[in-house]
Amino acid sequence: NAGVTQTPKFRILKIGQSMTLQCAQDMNHNYMYWYRQDPGMGLKLIYYSVGAGITDKGEVPNGYNVSRSTTEDFPLRLELAAPSQTSVYFCASSYSAGSRNSPLHFGNGTRLTVT
Amino acid sequence: AQSVSQHNHHVILSEAASLELGCNYSYGGTVNLFWYVQYPGQHLQLLLKYFSGDPLVKGIKGFEAEFIKSKFSFNLRKPSVQWSDTAEYFCAVSLPMNRDDKIIFGKGTRLHILP
């Protein structure tokens, strides 16, 4: 029972490099989310998706892109990495909007450092 | 805009002390409320949730929370904490009729239990 799987667990990027953070869930959840967690700042929503082919911006989308070609996968793309993107990234999924039917299920996170 | 406020950023307690972590939200309509916990080095896990009914909800590991609608609060409590409760705790709100389908997190409270 894998749940939400994120890869990689750790990554160091140089300024200007690009990378994709992978996220996959095997629970047939419609909703998927990308959060970043910074010390003392809680979780900030980057992007979210309510189903395959549908994505929308969260609170802090600048510098990121997402796609949702399948129900299972929700990759997060950093095109030109900047030091401000140093953070821990969490992917999450839920059956509905994290409310009555199911809460959020989180992946184990990706720790990204941009130098 | 809707927001979630957690009053304490960092709490230090001795084992067996009683715990109360404050959470207030700003939204006048019906809400769903959650507390998530993040143990060191791990991802967020659901501690408890409130959708409707009895405003006092029981969660895992002896935690409970009380929804007070008039105060827009959902404080987390535990009568006697253990060293293993050392973690970061996040209050979250989702709006069940919100077409944006977002879940809003507080900034977190880091709890440190002294053995």
Side-chain angles (χ1 to χ4, degrees), chain B residues 17-20 61-63 76-82 85:
Chain B
S18 65
L19 169 72
E20 182 161 1
K61 303 186 179 184
F63 285 91
L76 180 71
R77 300 195 294 247
K78 185 170 183 178
S80 176
V81 294
Q82 300 171 304
D85 293 325

Side-chain angles (χ1 to χ4, degrees), chain A residues 46-67:
Chain A
I46 305 171
Y47 269 95
Y48 66 102
S49 168
V50 302
I54 306 170
T55 63
D56 210 343
K57 295 178 180 179
E59 302 168 78
V60 289
N62 292 344
Y64 306 94
N65 275 303
V66 293
S67 59

Side-chain angles (χ1 to χ4, degrees), chain A residues 7 21 26 30 45 47 53 59-62 73 83 85 88 97 108-109:
Chain A
T7 56
L21 282 68
D26 61 358
N30 293 321
L45 182 64
Y47 269 95
E59 302 168 78
V60 289
N62 292 344
D73 300 297
Q85 293 177 305
V88 180
N108 286 329

Side-chain angles (χ1 to χ4, degrees), chain A:
Chain A
N1 189 7
V4 179
T5 303
Q6 283 185 242
T7 56
K9 292 184 179 178
F10 305 95
R11 184 72 186 269
I12 299 174
L13 285 181
K14 295 188 185 302
I15 295 171
Q17 286 186 316
S18 62
M19 78 163 292
T20 299
L21 282 68
Q22 301 291 345
C23 176
Q25 53 89 12
D26 61 358
M27 297 173 282
N28 201 31
H29 283 169
N30 293 321
Y31 292 75
M32 296 187 76
Y33 310 81
W34 273 106
Y35 290 91
R36 59 177 288 172
Q37 183 183 28
D38 302 295
M41 300 299 293
L43 282 84
K44 297 289 187 183
L45 182 64
I46 305 171
Y47 269 95
Y48 66 102
S49 168
V50 302
I54 306 170
T55 63
D56 210 343
K57 295 178 180 179
E59 302 168 78
V60 289
N62 292 344
Y64 306 94
N65 275 303
V66 293
S67 59
R68 186 92 183 270
S69 56
T70 66
T71 299
E72 293 77 20
D73 300 297
F74 190 42
L76 178 72
R77 178 88 178 157
L78 282 72
E79 291 294 350
L80 291 170
S84 61
Q85 293 177 305
T86 294
S87 187
V88 180
Y89 292 83
F90 286 99
C91 180
S93 72
S94 65
Y95 179 75
S96 66
S99 57
R100 195 164 295 274
N101 289 318
S102 73
L104 293 175
H105 294 257
F106 284 87
N108 286 329
T110 296
R111 186 175 293 276
L112 175 67
T113 302
V114 182
T115 61

Side-chain angles (χ1 to χ4, degrees), chain B residues 40-109:
Chain B
Q42 297 186 26
H43 61 278
L44 277 78
Q45 304 168 47
L46 182 69
L47 200 55
L48 48 77
K49 59 192 177 192
Y50 171 80
F51 294 147
S52 63
D54 188 346
L56 183 63
V57 292
K58 306 262 184 213
I60 59 172
K61 303 186 179 184
F63 285 91
E64 64 179 31
E66 185 175 12
F67 170 52
I68 303 179
K69 189 174 182 180
S70 60
K71 294 185 179 180
F72 299 90
S73 70
F74 191 55
N75 292 355
L76 180 71
R77 300 195 294 247
K78 185 170 183 178
S80 176
V81 294
Q82 300 171 304
W83 178 79
S84 58
D85 293 325
T86 294
E88 191 158 14
Y89 293 81
F90 294 91
C91 183
V93 173
S94 76
L95 308 178
M97 300 305 291
N98 182 0
R99 63 187 296 271
D100 286 341
D101 302 312
K102 290 195 290 261
I103 298 172
I104 303 168
F105 284 85
K107 291 186 176 181
T109 297

